[in-house]
Amino acid sequence: FLVVAAAVVGGAGERVDHVGRLDVLAKFLKHSDKDTRLSAVRNVAELARTVEVPEHLLDILAEVVQEERSGDVRAAAVSALGLAAEKRELPHVVFEPLAEAARDRDMLVRTVAAVAIGKAASKSRLPENLLSALRNAMQDLQREIRYNAVWSIGQVVMAGKNDISKATLDALCKCLKDPWEKVRINAASAVQGLANKLELPMKMVRALGEALQ
């Protein structure tokens, strides 16, 4: 019943105002039943596409990312944070849980986190722990995670809120030689964005030249 109730509240449309729906869903986010928690988180994510999620609810989502045992629920909470980040600047309390998610033991959580961090770059200046988490993700054994992480670095470059460190430049150079073409394409796109903002180091120019051969 609670799973259905959470879904009904999430899809209540104009019958319930957005803030009211989010407040009701917040009560389900730490429910003892896993399916109820998952339904609530997914509905928060759906609402985050259209409304600005209030800070207290972002705090709860961050706690879910850190404390939840189910990988599916953690991944859904990370996705919700990423969607919320497109509408508003994230509070600093959310950054460490996102960094932890990028290193999560669950591949799905890491995959979603690698995208969510890039979405956060549009409105927020990212702290070093998130950039470090992205650099680690750019070397993940799973190619989808590398692909997402390089895309996120491209978003960081495009947003222009962060200086791009030597460590990030070195990580991009490695991705220009990635076995998977899609990763190389994302890396080249990020480098193109960098070229519009600064003079590329010779090491990166050489890596680009090698990628073209």
Side-chain angles (χ1 to χ4, degrees):
F1 165 76
L2 287 172
V3 176
V4 176
V8 169
V9 171
E14 294 177 0
R15 286 174 291 128
V16 183
D17 70 272
H18 290 313
V19 175
R21 288 158 71 189
L22 286 167
D23 283 343
V24 173
L25 285 169
K27 296 175 183 176
F28 290 112
L29 287 175
K30 291 194 173 183
H31 195 274
S32 58
D33 179 68
K34 176 215 161 183
D35 289 337
T36 300
R37 296 195 303 275
L38 183 58
S39 179
V41 173
R42 284 176 172 167
N43 279 286
V44 171
E46 196 57 40
L47 281 171
R49 296 179 188 277
T50 55
V51 299
E52 186 175 301
V53 178
E55 187 164 332
H56 74 276
L57 195 47
L58 294 176
D59 291 348
I60 297 173
L61 284 172
E63 289 173 11
V64 170
V65 172
Q66 288 186 302
E67 299 171 6
E68 173 62 50
R69 284 174 294 177
S70 163
D72 288 346
V73 180
R74 290 200 307 280
V78 172
S79 178
L81 286 174
L83 289 166
E86 293 182 302
K87 292 269 187 298
R88 57 162 296 162
E89 186 175 352
L90 290 180
H92 285 193
V93 71
V94 171
F95 290 143
E96 183 55 35
L98 274 179
E100 290 177 11
R103 301 186 295 265
D104 197 276
R105 64 186 180 278
D106 188 295
M107 186 184 82
L108 177 61
V109 178
R110 296 200 311 279
T111 303
V112 175
V115 174
I117 294 171
K119 289 180 176 179
S122 64
K123 303 280 186 189
S124 307
R125 186 179 188 279
L126 301 186
E128 178 54 31
N129 64 334
L130 279 185
L131 296 174
S132 175
L134 276 183
R135 289 194 295 270
N136 288 338
M138 288 162 74
Q139 301 173 55
D140 199 281
L141 293 176
Q142 299 296 327
R143 65 183 192 175
E144 290 84 2
I145 295 173
R146 298 197 305 274
Y147 171 80
N148 289 347
V150 177
W151 174 84
S152 281
I153 286 293
Q155 299 305 298
V156 173
V157 170
M158 193 164 61
K161 292 178 170 56
N162 284 86
D163 293 330
I164 304 301
S165 67
K166 182 181 181 300
T168 300
L169 292 174
D170 288 346
L172 271 176
C173 282
K174 290 178 183 175
C175 288
L176 286 168
K177 302 175 184 178
D178 194 274
W180 198 28
E181 183 185 22
K182 288 187 175 182
V183 175
R184 298 197 301 273
I185 290 171
N186 271 2
S189 178
V191 171
Q192 182 181 12
L194 277 172
N196 294 331
K197 297 174 183 289
L198 51 84
E199 186 176 338
L200 296 180
M202 202 60 221
K203 178 180 178 181
M204 183 161 276
V205 175
R206 282 197 298 270
L208 266 178
E210 290 170 10
L212 290 171
Q213 293 174 7

